[in-house]
């Protein structure tokens, strides 16, 4: 590696001259970079944004556009939901744990309504209507959705309210979010250097004072008078880093723009930065929630393993980490018919059978596996109960012949759904740099590294092991803003 | 933290004088430190060993004393087993994966017979007799045991041979191993500085040239003319590091001497070292294998989740990572009676019942949970089959009334069995510094850091996520030796 582009920091004394100089350098132009840029500029700092792609957007622009917000936003109110910062905090600590970042989660929850307003003030649109069923991305433009707040065990821990705020869009909302933030950036004096790949930091007496970047094969030096803000994303596209830190994600499909190579994390580590939760991953098995919640999901020996009405990413994590993705959705004809056509995403069952004995044989499960599991499920569902996993009674009904099964690993939607439709899982990494609530990057002694800031998936953010959709765009923009302010005032 | 003892490296230019000077500094006097010391000395280097406790031994001395060795050792031959390095390698790659260190596993397997001989030459005793049942630590002094090589799926991947080599001892063998290695060290000119805690490295032009240590409240500087070898163990005793890197281990009992604080790992990271697999943990649920293999282990809804005849640590990992340690051993009277009294470790069932309906009610499982699971198990066991998890027919028999259950979390043995008997799990960390087969510590560019070596649980060793007993004493001594040789020749 080192022969190509070393990450070991350069001493400022070895820099002959700086090609560019500004107050704040923002590295990476996704949602966290845009938010940091806007706030650093608003605080009076001169900013240059470096982006390795030919334009801004990053993985943020390819995302569904959910923002996890709550505590009583106007969208929640318009849809008839009361919510408090305390309930939001309690839900997030449980869903993002064990050992989620308490200080960040608390601040993020308390200031969520204000952050919603900031987004709206920057032109980000949200529609006041609710999509009221577990799903990947609703096939509508409804602006609010549940993220499993109304499922066990979260119903026992906090008063449920839907907090998935969806950026209004024709299709995925991430592109609209990035379009609005980019328009706001374009209205400032900020310079955006595209096709520019930051490779190593420049340090002076223990402080970060700039960086080295490549553009079209040439190397340039940048000086940052106040600070460098790393918003370079996670490392899901870096196979070596995934193998070193999150081996269970090796070889899976990646949900990113292809550029989440972890360079920002490693550049910071090379100047002594600490990291957290590098093993954690979001695991999307995206297209089946509507069917799953009306039927069940089972492992390779036909056992259920979770209440199917939780946030689908929690099902994905359980499917990967507990069952190696060898999971099947089992349903009956009625369940299939009940899923709105738009929400089937074109998924067709791989197996159909009149009896469970036939179905388990077709799949290759042990004889008796599905007969036993569906038998138990039906016996309790007839009473409106799920004593095994506590799925809400809303979704409980005895399944009856004819039955069907979807092999989640095998490809579950037509090609137009891209990677997500190919089956298996789409993952990205959650761990990253250890930062304060102001985006200051901490070193191995727990001290802030002067001049160095980070936000978004380059940091470990709110999360520990758990993940909920909308917390990446959410903590990216929220802590990106704070990092921008802090860097500008350095 | 930093107010007390910073880990950020000290520049040699800032060192007024060195209190001690030698060729090779070995930090930590467990099995890896002893092995490094012996080989560095044998290669002609002057060595000082620093140990923060008042004497050598570390967690190695408290361990069971299993060494994972094979490929045809004289003990294996004496017990009538053929083995090859290829089968050993194939087993380890599967058991320690996904993505175990192929180069290390291959070398370790190929040179295992020679390493066995080195141990014997240094006085380490092994008795040529086999303990032939899954267990925690055999209640005998048999010198050979299975580590799940004869269980599914490993039987499909490599020809089975038992490779757990047990240091002969009255009780746990770790203390005998460390006694023999310490005697060998004592026969050399090596100086051992006890009560001496290394806190930070000293660097000069990018190379490690020494370290700072504290002893009885005073600070001392040490110069290493050839190299520093970090054999400081894992970080299971450092709650903050565990939370940052292995959150699922937070709050569990720790299998260590209390000193596995990760300092060596962090000292090296502070000079730019890379780490691997920091999330991985060994999970011991130690006292029940004899009962478990004759009955079954189930989760909180009564589902089996593994073939109970695998290496018990794999059951422990599955119990923790898949089921949050909420697991019960279910057995019948005959199974209990069949376990040799010495191998029951005083464990008594928490629940006894004439029927499975009563037992599941007593435990608080869903009605039907155990009736269903045991029904399916018995139906197949009557045919000598376990199509669900492929437990060997050796251990299959329909269970019959009266039944019993052991709550693994609740305390499973009398107080004389210490931490292991208190229930729940005992864990330690597996991840650590990224090293070459010669113990050279790699930086974030993948280059060796001049002057810096490591071995044992301060490194990620052979492992990725998986773990097998005997691979810590095994890779600690094997790669400790190689690090000692490499440091001496620097």
């Amino acid at each position: 590696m080192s022969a190509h582009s070393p990450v070991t920091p350069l001493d400022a004394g070895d820099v002959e001259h700086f090609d560019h100089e500004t107050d704040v350098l923002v590295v990476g132009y996704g949602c966290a970079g845009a938010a940091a840029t806007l706030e650093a500029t608003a605080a009076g700092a001169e900013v240059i944004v470096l982006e390795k792609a030919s334009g801004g957007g990053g993985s943020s622009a390819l995302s569904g556009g959910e923002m996890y917000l709550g505590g009583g936003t106007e969208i929640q109110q318009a849809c008839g939901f009361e919510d408090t910062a305390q309930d939001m905090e309690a839900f997030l600590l449980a869903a993002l744990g064990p050992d989620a970042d308490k200080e960040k989660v608390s601040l993020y929850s308390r200031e969520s309504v204000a952050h919603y307003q900031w987004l709206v003030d920057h032109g980000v649109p949200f529609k006041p209507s609710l999509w009221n069923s577990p799903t990947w991305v609703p096939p509508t433009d409804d602006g609010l959705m549940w993220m499993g707040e109304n499922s066990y065990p979260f119903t026992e821990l906090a008063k449920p309210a839907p907090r998935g705020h969806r950026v209004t869009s024709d299709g995925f909302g991430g592109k609209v979010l990035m379009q609005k933030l980019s328009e706001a950036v374009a209205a400032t004096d900020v310079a955006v250097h595209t096709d520019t790949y930051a490779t190593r930091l420049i340090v002076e007496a223990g402080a970060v004072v700039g960086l080295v970047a490549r553009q079209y094969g040439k190397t340039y030096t940048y000086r940052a008078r106040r600070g460098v803000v790393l918003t370079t994303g996670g490392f899901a596209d870096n196979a070596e880093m995934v193998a070193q830190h999150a081996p269970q994600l090796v070889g899976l499909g990646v949900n990113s723009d292809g550029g989440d190579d972890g360079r920002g994390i490693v550049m910071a580590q090379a100047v002594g930065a600490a990291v957290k939760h590098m093993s954690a991953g979001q695991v999307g098995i995206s297209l089946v929630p509507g069917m799953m919640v009306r039927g069940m999901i089972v492992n390779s020996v036909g056992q259920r393993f979770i209440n199917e009405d939780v946030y689908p990413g929690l099902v994905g994590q359980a499917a990967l980490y507990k069952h190696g993705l060898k999971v099947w959705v089992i349903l009956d004809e009625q369940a299939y018919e009940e899923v709105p056509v738009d929400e089937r995403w074109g998924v067709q069952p791989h197996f159909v059978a009149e009896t469970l004995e036939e179905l388990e044989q077709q799949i290759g499960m042990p004889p008796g596996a599905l007969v036993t599991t569906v038998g138990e499920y039906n016996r309790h569902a007839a009473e409106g109960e799920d004593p095994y996993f506590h799925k809400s009674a809303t979704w409980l009904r005895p399944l009856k012949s004819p039955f069907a099964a979807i092999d989640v690993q095998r490809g579950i939607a037509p090609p137009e759904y891209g990677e997500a439709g190919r089956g298996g899982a789409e993952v990205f990494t959650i761990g990253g740099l250890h930062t304060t609530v102001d985006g200051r990057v901490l070193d191995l002694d727990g001290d802030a590294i002067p001049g160095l800031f980070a936000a978004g998936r380059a940091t470990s953010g709110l999360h520990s092991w758990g993940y909920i959709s909308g917390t990446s765009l959410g903590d990216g923009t929220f802590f990106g803003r704070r990092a921008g302010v802090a860097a500008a005032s350095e």
Side-chain angles (χ1 to χ4, degrees), chain A:
Chain A
M1 282 188 289
S2 56
H4 303 299
S5 70
V7 74
T8 304
L10 191 61
D11 194 89
D14 295 330
V15 178
E16 286 182 18
H17 81 288
F18 284 95
D19 299 305
H20 302 280
E21 184 165 340
T22 187
D23 291 328
V24 174
L25 283 168
V26 173
V27 187
Y29 196 4
C31 74
T37 298
L38 289 169
E39 294 289 73
T41 305
E46 185 189 356
V47 179
I48 299 175
V49 180
L50 308 186
E51 167 54 49
K52 69 180 168 189
S54 297
S59 297
S60 302
L62 297 178
S63 73
E66 296 97 15
M67 312 276 287
Y68 201 83
L69 300 166
T73 65
E74 61 184 12
I75 296 292
Q76 289 181 305
Q77 290 179 34
C79 293
F81 292 97
E82 286 180 19
D83 192 17
T84 66
Q86 290 71 31
D87 284 312
M88 179 175 173
E89 180 177 347
F91 173 79
L92 284 176
L93 285 177
L96 306 182
D99 202 49
D101 191 314
K102 288 187 182 61
E103 191 183 358
K104 283 184 182 166
V105 168
S106 176
L107 186 69
Y108 180 76
S109 301
R110 290 198 312 272
E111 301 195 359
S112 188
V113 171
H115 186 53
Y116 167 84
Q117 199 54 54
W118 182 89
L119 291 162
V120 170
D121 291 346
H122 284 79
V124 181
F126 298 98
K127 186 180 156 194
S129 60
L130 176 74
W131 172 265
N132 195 18
S133 160
T135 190
W136 171 43
V137 177
T140 63
D141 66 354
D142 292 317
L144 194 61
M145 67 187 287
W146 295 95
M147 293 295 182
E149 298 91 343
N150 55 350
S151 70
Y152 184 89
F154 306 107
T155 44
E156 319 273 300
L157 303 171
K159 186 181 168 194
R163 301 193 189 90
H165 284 63
R166 302 181 61 223
V167 178
T168 311
S169 170
D170 176 19
F172 278 24
K175 62 183 182 297
V176 174
L177 172 70
M178 284 311 301
Q179 178 198 326
K180 296 299 179 185
L181 296 181
S182 300
E183 285 170 7
V185 170
T188 68
D189 294 331
V190 168
V192 179
H193 295 193
T194 55
D195 301 299
T196 304
Y197 184 54
T199 61
R200 64 202 296 204
L201 295 168
I202 298 173
V203 293
E204 187 170 29
V208 172
V209 298
L211 55 78
V212 178
R214 286 182 301 153
Q215 189 190 39
Y216 304 126
K218 288 193 177 170
T219 296
Y220 298 91
T221 51
Y222 286 78
R223 182 167 186 91
R225 287 181 290 260
R226 301 190 193 176
V228 171
V229 185
L230 300 171
T231 58
T232 47
F235 59 95
D237 290 308
N238 183 323
E240 189 180 350
M241 283 183 75
V242 169
Q244 287 177 350
H245 304 301
Q248 291 167 312
L249 306 183
V250 167
L252 299 176
V254 173
N255 184 336
S256 79
D257 69 343
D260 288 351
D261 67 356
R263 189 67 179 199
I265 296 171
V266 181
M267 280 197 293
Q269 285 187 289
V271 301
V275 293
K276 284 172 75 172
H277 305 149
M278 294 284 278
S279 61
Q282 151 72 350
V283 183
I285 52 169
S286 302
L287 301 179
V288 292
M291 300 189 191
M292 185 166 77
V293 75
R294 290 168 173 88
M296 61 175 69
I297 189 164
V298 300
N299 64 15
S300 63
V301 294
Q303 296 170 328
R304 286 176 73 212
F305 53 90
I306 198 165
N307 42 326
E308 293 84 356
D309 57 347
V310 294
Y311 163 64
L314 293 186
V315 181
Q317 285 191 331
L320 175 62
Y321 296 127
K322 300 183 180 182
H323 304 290
L325 281 182
K326 289 173 183 140
V327 295
W328 283 258
V329 172
I330 307 297
L331 70 171
D332 63 6
E333 191 167 30
Q334 182 182 335
Y336 185 80
E337 297 295 336
E338 272 179 18
V339 180
V341 171
D342 276 355
E343 210 200 335
R344 287 185 205 155
W345 311 104
V347 174
Q348 297 285 345
H350 297 108
F351 304 100
V352 179
E354 292 298 317
T355 68
L356 293 165
E357 286 85 349
E358 287 171 60
L359 193 64
E360 65 193 21
Q361 190 180 15
Q362 285 183 38
I363 300 174
M365 286 177 179
L370 286 180
V371 172
T372 310
T373 296
V374 178
E376 277 293 282
Y377 180 87
N378 282 356
R379 189 164 69 84
H380 292 292
E383 310 291 326
E385 287 171 5
D386 175 19
Y388 284 82
F389 297 102
H390 310 282
K391 182 160 67 176
S392 163
T394 309
W395 306 106
L396 290 171
R397 172 183 62 73
L399 303 178
K400 58 183 193 292
S401 175
F403 302 101
I406 297 163
D407 179 346
V408 171
Q409 287 216 84
R410 198 158 128 188
I412 50 181
E416 62 262 34
Y417 295 102
E419 188 76 31
R422 263 177 241 151
E426 277 192 289
V427 302
F428 57 83
T429 60
I430 303 175
L433 296 168
H434 186 182
T435 53
T436 70
V437 292
D438 292 312
R440 294 178 192 279
V441 177
L442 299 177
D443 69 14
L444 295 155
D445 282 320
D447 298 325
I449 298 173
L452 191 60
F453 302 83
R457 281 290 61 76
T459 77
S460 67
L462 302 164
H463 315 77
S464 169
W465 185 268
Y467 190 80
I468 291 290
S469 267
T471 54
S472 278
L473 297 185
D475 83 359
T477 50
F478 182 81
F479 293 106
R481 291 175 58 199
R482 296 183 65 91
V485 170
S489 65
E490 187 81 346

